[in-house]
Amino acid sequence: MKILCLALLCILISACATNKHHTVDNITITEIGQDGKEHFCHEFSLDESGIGGFFRAARHIGRKEYHDDYDHIACFVKGTLDFVNAKKNMAHCEFTVRAGATAELWCDDGEYYVYVCDTCDALFGGS
Amino acid sequence: MSKIIGGKLTDKKVIDKVYTKLHRGVLASVKALVIHQTDAATAQHTFNSYSRKGANGAHFLIDKKGVIYQTALTTQITYHVGILKSRCLDNTRVCDKNAVSAATAVYYEKGKSFALRVKKLHRHEKSKAYPERYPSNADSIGIEIVGKYDKTTKLYEAVNTAQNASLKWLVSELSTHLSLAGGDVYRHPEVSRKEGSEASTASW
């Protein structure tokens, strides 16, 4: 019986973990541009569908991991979206998605997030 | 006047707080200094990260009061630069035509994601020597200044007066001991793809 309860608990915990997903909706692009010296930015663009695809595949990381392990590429797409975080809280956010498959979100609930996608090559210039 | 003895900058202004977990091999020749900001609120946040296995970090750290800590030996490589930008593409006048063409081919390679292109460009750059390329982990010393990225202003916080005074002293001492010129001191975003405001208010 104890083993059964333990197994059930493990399944529940696992289910909770896999439900820790953010979602985005109502994506609006407001600007495509660059804020630094990068010569290939004219090749970079994403539409609303691409932004949605990025956030579906992306994972949340901290600022330190972003600074140490990811490249801050000057080419960006900016806009707004509705964001539901892993705790199911919804906020309206400004986003900046960059050509290195990274993004920042500034939300009207005061929260700030960094997201990266390590499997989004096809969306960001890859084939 | 300070001295460098066994990789330690010896002076009453420098606190020895070397983290051997940062060391990645012998730093045979120092060609440049790279100035960073920690993106952390306090020195302790950064020291905590230096204690972990596989830690990345720089050789010196200047805290909010301008206190200088040495966190790695000047005779050891640490991982602080990140992937290199191309000096040739940033200023084609400093390279010959062949070097510009080679870098361009990597940078504009079709079918490769932007992230992969800049990583390949970094590998291409590493095959060159300084100053044909920007300084890398293999030939530079890093100096971290405690300062956080402000998510509201979207800028790194300004380096304060005490920090800049210490930075000026440290750059001067290291430049003298290591025979570096003024052009051999770089802000982190100049050489690697980092946020442009990092160390932008650092002065020496």
Side-chain angles (χ1 to χ4, degrees), chain A residues 8-71:
Chain A
L8 193 59
L9 187 63
C10 288
I11 290 166
L12 279 171
I13 289 169
S14 170
C16 288
T18 56
N19 281 338
K20 280 186 182 175
H21 287 308
H22 54 273
T23 57
V24 299
D25 203 357
N26 293 324
I27 298 166
T28 303
I29 290 171
T30 56
E31 187 183 353
I32 298 173
Q34 65 187 91
D35 52 10
K37 199 172 174 182
E38 198 70 78
H39 305 287
F40 56 33
C41 287
H42 63 278
E43 297 181 32
F44 173 60
S45 183
L46 278 179
D47 59 15
E48 286 80 358
S49 169
I51 299 292
F54 166 81
F55 278 106
R56 275 193 296 278
R59 63 186 178 94
H60 175 231
I61 64 170
R63 281 283 313 177
K64 177 157 177 53
E65 187 179 351
Y66 179 64
H67 176 267
D68 290 354
D69 299 338
Y70 286 86
D71 303 311

Side-chain angles (χ1 to χ4, degrees), chain B residues 34-192:
Chain B
V34 180
I35 314 300
H36 306 254
Q37 278 181 281
T38 57
D39 196 6
T42 68
Q44 193 57 50
H45 280 96
T46 303
F47 294 151
N48 291 344
S49 73
Y50 287 179
S51 303
R52 296 180 197 126
K53 190 180 171 186
N56 296 331
H59 298 77
F60 294 88
L61 180 139
I62 300 173
D63 77 5
K64 285 296 192 75
K65 292 183 180 173
V67 175
I68 301 169
Y69 297 87
Q70 181 164 4
T71 48
L73 298 179
T74 59
T75 50
Q76 285 282 321
I77 292 169
T78 69
Y79 289 173
H80 65 97
V81 175
I83 72 163
L84 293 176
K85 294 160 106 170
S86 167
R87 195 157 209 167
C88 279
L89 294 183
D90 278 356
N91 185 356
T92 54
R93 287 172 298 177
V94 306
C95 297
D96 65 36
K97 237 172 42 171
N98 289 337
V100 173
S101 294
T104 301
V106 174
Y107 186 71
Y108 287 108
E109 187 178 355
K110 294 295 178 201
K112 294 285 187 285
S113 68
F114 302 104
L116 189 55
R117 288 193 225 175
V118 299
K119 283 180 171 53
K120 288 183 76 173
L121 190 62
H122 163 72
R123 288 195 287 273
H124 172 79
E125 290 297 304
K126 275 178 69 176
S127 66
K128 304 177 197 172
Y130 180 85
E132 281 74 43
R133 57 151 172 82
Y134 287 122
S136 70
N137 292 328
D139 52 25
S140 70
I141 280 175
I143 300 172
E144 286 275 11
I145 303 170
V146 173
K148 199 145 170 54
Y149 174 78
D150 185 327
K151 65 189 182 201
T152 306
T153 62
K154 301 178 186 177
L155 297 170
Y156 273 81
E157 64 177 300
V159 177
N160 68 41
T161 305
Q163 290 176 315
N164 270 331
S166 293
L167 178 66
K168 186 175 178 179
W169 179 87
L170 184 58
V171 167
S172 174
E173 296 296 304
L174 289 172
S175 297
T176 300
H177 291 305
L178 300 167
S179 303
L180 304 177
D184 295 324
V185 186
Y186 301 80
R187 293 179 176 82
H188 195 193
E190 288 181 77
V191 307
S192 186

